[in-house]
Amino acid sequence: MTRAIKQWEAAYRIAAEIPGGRLNWRKFLGQLICIKAEIENGVYRTPGDRCLFPRVPAIHFPNTKLAADARKAIQYFTKYLETKPEDLEVKWL
């Protein structure tokens, strides 16, 4: 996942040269980094209450180092939502 994210981030930098090019890349990178955080935090191995709807506020990624990816994904999602605030999928993520 780390290598894939680095390649996507390189593509994101290239997309900056195209008007509006970064918008969808923010969403894609946010999703990819979110999945990496979920994998590293055992969401798919031992999901427990972490996969329930609605989300349980008390459930969070326990390891501060591993939570860094989740925070990075949130940054991409937040930036994306500044342009597309109606995107419910990204709001949910």
Side-chain angles (χ1 to χ4, degrees):
M1 289 298 286
T2 301
R3 287 189 336 207
I5 289 170
K6 285 181 182 184
Q7 290 176 349
W8 279 76
E9 287 174 331
Y12 176 73
R13 288 188 292 277
I14 293 167
E17 300 173 18
I18 303 166
R22 281 193 167 178
L23 181 61
N24 285 331
W25 285 96
R26 288 181 182 128
K27 182 177 180 177
F28 299 146
L29 272 167
Q31 290 170 325
L32 186 62
I33 294 167
C34 186
I35 291 168
K36 180 179 183 272
E38 291 170 343
I39 290 169
E40 290 178 348
N41 283 282
V43 170
Y44 303 112
R45 191 174 45 253
T46 54
D49 291 335
R50 291 182 277 190
C51 62
L52 295 178
F53 178 82
R55 305 252 332 162
V56 178
I59 302 297
H60 59 279
F61 294 151
N63 184 319
T64 305
K65 179 182 176 289
L66 297 179
D69 283 329
R71 284 191 295 276
K72 189 173 182 181
I74 289 168
Q75 291 173 345
Y76 279 112
F77 291 145
T78 301
K79 197 72 172 161
Y80 174 86
L81 288 169
E82 288 174 4
T83 307
K84 301 279 270 183
E86 72 282 357
D87 191 323
L88 296 177
E89 177 187 4
V90 173
K91 282 182 180 182
W92 167 251
L93 293 170

